[in-house]
Amino acid sequence: MTMDLYLDSADRTALEPLLATGLFRGVTTNPLILQRGDVRLDAVPDLVGWLLERTSEVFVQTTAHGVDAIVTEGHALRALSDRLVVKVPATQDGLAATRRLADDDVPVLVTAVYDARQAVLAAAAGARWIAPYLGRMTESGRDGHAQVAQMVRVLEGTGTQVLVASIRTVDDVVTLAAAGAHAVTLGAAVAQDLFVEPLTDAALAQFDEAVATLR
């Protein structure tokens, strides 16, 4: 199984060269990501348009509170594009809203997931995705990788996939791929680190030296 790669950023300058590689399926955002990218809520439609010119899929999180308000906002976000996935926090109201949105054929990612029981609830709500926060789980003293692996097992055959967020290192990416995670979303710095391998650089330098003698 190929693990899909996403970028977790709203910084156009950082995103553009990474998206140009064609290796990243889409872009995920949340209010903190928007804040760091200096993107106000009224500028989200413009950001979504810019992103969808460069990639296949965009995730945008609801900011409302209360089931009805989350559902209304979710429909408004989905109206921006049929390639937009609505993100909803894994609260009781968020999960109830997810059920209603899923019943209306709106794809939903349940986000800020920290425990496998939340994965069970998200599947029951008809979520397309869950987003466990690996780094935050680990930093809180939990075994983040073990939790994610359990979520993958719990969700097998349900139609709900695991898109892991809050990833701190490229080693995490490899471990998650081996554990069967369906996708990861990476900050720009971690995404750039995926391409760094000193031994490859050294081999390329030797190739270039050899080419120079062959001209």
Side-chain angles (χ1 to χ4, degrees):
M1 180 184 73
T2 300
M3 186 174 70
D4 287 327
L5 303 175
Y6 291 82
L7 294 168
D8 200 29
S9 177
D11 181 338
R12 299 188 192 198
T13 301
L15 285 169
E16 192 144 34
L18 290 165
L19 291 174
T21 66
L23 301 178
F24 298 92
R25 179 175 173 81
V27 174
T28 62
T29 67
N30 64 36
L32 284 173
I33 293 294
L34 295 177
Q35 183 184 55
R36 291 169 190 155
D38 196 26
V39 178
R40 301 189 66 83
L41 294 180
D42 60 4
V44 166
D46 180 68
L47 175 66
V48 168
W50 184 89
L51 290 171
L52 289 177
E53 290 175 354
R54 292 162 175 80
T55 194
S56 300
E57 196 169 33
V58 174
F59 293 69
V60 180
Q61 187 167 319
T62 58
T63 59
H65 293 274
V67 177
D68 290 343
I70 295 171
V71 171
T72 297
E73 185 179 2
H75 279 292
L77 289 171
R78 178 65 173 176
L80 295 174
S81 173
D82 61 5
R83 292 188 284 146
L84 184 146
V85 177
V86 177
K87 294 178 67 175
V88 176
T91 62
Q92 183 170 333
D93 281 354
L95 289 161
T98 296
R99 179 71 270 170
R100 286 172 52 182
L101 288 165
D103 287 343
D104 291 336
D105 295 323
V106 175
V108 177
L109 176 147
V110 171
T111 191
V113 170
Y114 288 90
D115 190 276
R117 69 181 185 276
Q118 294 174 304
V120 172
L121 290 167
R128 185 80 55 85
W129 296 94
I130 63 166
Y133 281 10
L134 176 69
R136 292 191 183 191
M137 279 191 282
T138 300
E139 289 155 8
S140 73
R142 302 184 186 185
D143 186 335
H145 282 287
Q147 284 283 343
V148 170
Q150 186 179 35
M151 292 176 199
V152 171
R153 292 193 300 272
V154 164
L155 294 175
E156 186 175 357
T158 66
T160 301
Q161 296 190 325
V162 179
L163 191 164
V164 187
S166 183
I167 293 173
R168 306 298 192 230
T169 71
V170 293
D171 289 341
D172 288 331
V173 177
V174 176
T175 302
L176 290 165
H182 304 98
V184 294
T185 186
L186 308 171
V190 176
Q192 287 286 1
D193 282 347
L194 284 175
F195 297 95
V196 177
E197 176 44 69
L199 292 177
T200 299
D201 294 340
L204 181 60
Q206 290 179 320
F207 295 153
D208 287 343
E209 289 175 6
V211 168
T213 69
L214 300 173
R215 297 190 186 282

